[in-house]
Amino acid sequence: MMTPAEAQTYCTTLTKKSGSNFYYSFLFLPKARREAMYTVYAFCKEVDNAVDEPPSGSHPQEELARWRRELAAAYDGTPTFPVTVSLARHVRELSIPQAYFEELIKGVEMDLTTTRYATFDQLSLYCYRVASVVGLICLHVFGTTSPRAQDYAVNLGMAFQLTNILRDLGNDAECGRVYVPQEDLARFAYREEDLLHRRYKPEFTEFMRFEVGRAKEFYAKAARALDSLPRAERRALTVAEIMRGVYSRILHRIEQSGYRVLGDRVTLTPSHRLAVAAGVWLRSRLPSSTP
């Protein structure tokens, strides 16, 4: 078994190699909290890989069962995986509820049995589990867990996941998964067959305009929750605001492209992401008349 220091190095290396949009926001955290975020990200990534990229000869359901056992071991103080060895220290120091990680695993598990969502209510449960719950975990890392901060995290997680779904619409469909609600496709008379064949039609434009608008509503809800917080809590959420800056720009690019999401993936360059991060961080340090 790795030492906690070796396990932390493993998590940090995995996160840096990922190229994730989140990585650029983690850079603005103090060292101890940054290491906690690297570990949380590594846990999420490896659990996700258990379904999307399972080890050769393994079964995803069995892999998730192993992760459930290791999660329990992390909270019992007997972990053996590199990620859970590191996680054990952070969840103890930051008082992160085990139930959040269990919900995350349930969300990832949904990809094994569900490839279509009839309604937005059904999709919302998936988004909550794989994204909003991660936001609730992050609140413990950031140091603010008030009810309004939780509202912020839940809505922002929904916004992030909806942005991901729209950005990856074509690639996900090619892999047999259509996350957008079937009721929305029917509402705008855009056939799944056209999606699978990556066909742009006027109906697709109207459908995407509606979906982007829904994602924007969740960004707006998160912003209102943030505005209701005291300045100290808002500053504690600077890293989350960096993530919001990056992901809202991706959504804007989707809109500006005319919703061309069935081909190349809409992304921001590393320099653009870093510029967004620096700008949000600097604004968070400006004097404010709001208490």
Side-chain angles (χ1 to χ4, degrees), residues 98-159:
Q98 183 176 343
Y100 287 161
F101 292 100
E102 291 170 347
E103 278 293 295
L104 172 65
I105 294 174
K106 287 180 183 177
V108 173
E109 191 172 37
M110 290 173 73
D111 278 334
L112 296 177
T113 58
T114 307
T115 59
R116 303 292 187 277
Y117 291 89
T119 66
F120 180 69
D121 283 345
Q122 292 177 7
L123 178 63
S124 293
L125 175 60
Y126 175 77
C127 293
Y128 173 80
R129 285 175 166 171
V130 299
S132 294
V133 160
V134 178
L136 294 173
I137 292 170
C138 289
L139 291 184
H140 286 263
V141 178
F142 301 152
T144 176
T145 58
S146 69
R148 291 300 289 161
Q150 291 179 29
D151 287 344
Y152 168 81
V154 168
N155 283 297
L156 197 58
M158 291 290 296

Side-chain angles (χ1 to χ4, degrees), residues 66-81 84-85 88 98:
R66 291 176 66 225
W67 277 106
R68 283 192 169 99
R69 290 193 295 271
E70 269 300 305
L71 176 63
Y75 277 84
D76 290 340
T78 59
T80 59
F81 291 1
T84 46
V85 169
Q98 183 176 343

Side-chain angles (χ1 to χ4, degrees), residues 75 77 99 164 190 253:
Y75 277 84
N164 280 336
Y190 184 69
R253 285 205 169 181

Side-chain angles (χ1 to χ4, degrees), residues 4-284:
E6 291 169 337
Q8 182 64 64
T9 298
Y10 175 92
C11 294
T12 298
T13 302
L14 187 155
T15 303
K16 288 181 177 179
K17 285 182 177 179
S18 71
S20 167
N21 287 316
F22 295 109
Y23 171 70
Y24 295 87
S25 64
F26 301 163
L27 297 174
F28 293 83
L29 283 168
K31 184 175 183 291
R33 295 185 186 275
R34 183 168 67 246
E35 289 182 343
M37 280 306 313
Y38 287 156
T39 298
V40 168
Y41 179 87
F43 180 89
C44 296
K45 182 69 174 175
E46 294 213 331
V47 169
D48 191 56
N49 285 346
V51 169
D52 288 345
E53 301 175 24
S56 178
S58 70
H59 189 283
Q61 195 71 58
E62 294 172 357
E63 288 299 300
L64 290 181
R66 291 176 66 225
W67 277 106
R68 283 192 169 99
R69 290 193 295 271
E70 269 300 305
L71 176 63
Y75 277 84
D76 290 340
T78 59
T80 59
F81 291 1
V83 168
T84 46
V85 169
S86 184
L87 189 69
R89 174 170 68 92
H90 295 301
V91 298
R92 182 178 64 253
E93 293 175 352
L94 299 171
S95 301
I96 305 175
Q98 183 176 343
Y100 287 161
F101 292 100
E102 291 170 347
E103 278 293 295
L104 172 65
I105 294 174
K106 287 180 183 177
V108 173
E109 191 172 37
M110 290 173 73
D111 278 334
L112 296 177
T113 58
T114 307
T115 59
R116 303 292 187 277
Y117 291 89
T119 66
F120 180 69
D121 283 345
Q122 292 177 7
L123 178 63
S124 293
L125 175 60
Y126 175 77
C127 293
Y128 173 80
R129 285 175 166 171
V130 299
S132 294
V133 160
V134 178
L136 294 173
I137 292 170
C138 289
L139 291 184
H140 286 263
V141 178
F142 301 152
T144 176
T145 58
S146 69
R148 291 300 289 161
Q150 291 179 29
D151 287 344
Y152 168 81
V154 168
N155 283 297
L156 197 58
M158 291 290 296
F160 288 167
Q161 191 61 28
L162 292 175
T163 300
N164 280 336
I165 286 170
L166 297 179
R167 179 189 59 184
D168 297 334
L169 199 57
N171 291 336
D172 285 338
E174 194 172 90
C175 295
R177 295 175 183 164
V178 178
Y179 290 102
V180 289
Q182 296 292 302
E183 65 181 3
D184 293 352
L185 292 172
R187 175 179 178 176
F188 293 95
Y190 184 69
R191 299 181 304 165
E192 188 174 300
E193 176 188 350
D194 290 325
L195 173 59
L196 297 175
H197 287 86
R198 300 177 184 254
R199 294 171 183 150
Y200 292 106
K201 292 185 170 184
E203 294 87 349
F204 179 76
T205 299
E206 293 307 308
F207 158 75
M208 284 294 295
R209 183 176 291 117
F210 173 79
E211 300 297 338
V212 167
R214 174 183 277 154
K216 285 182 175 180
E217 289 175 7
F218 282 102
Y219 282 112
K221 287 179 182 178
R224 289 194 293 272
L226 182 77
D227 289 343
S228 72
L229 293 171
R231 177 167 172 75
E233 286 194 70
R234 294 200 303 272
R235 288 190 67 170
L237 294 169
T238 297
V239 169
E241 279 298 283
I242 290 171
M243 297 177 198
R244 180 161 74 101
V246 170
Y247 271 84
S248 62
R249 280 166 176 78
I250 290 173
L251 189 69
H252 180 69
R253 285 205 169 181
I254 289 172
E255 195 171 27
Q256 292 300 107
S257 74
Y259 312 109
R260 308 295 285 189
V261 294
L262 302 181
D264 293 337
R265 201 173 195 237
V266 176
T267 63
L268 302 183
T269 64
S271 59
H272 191 172
R273 284 179 277 179
L274 192 56
V276 170
V280 172
W281 185 85
L282 287 171
R283 285 194 297 275
S284 75

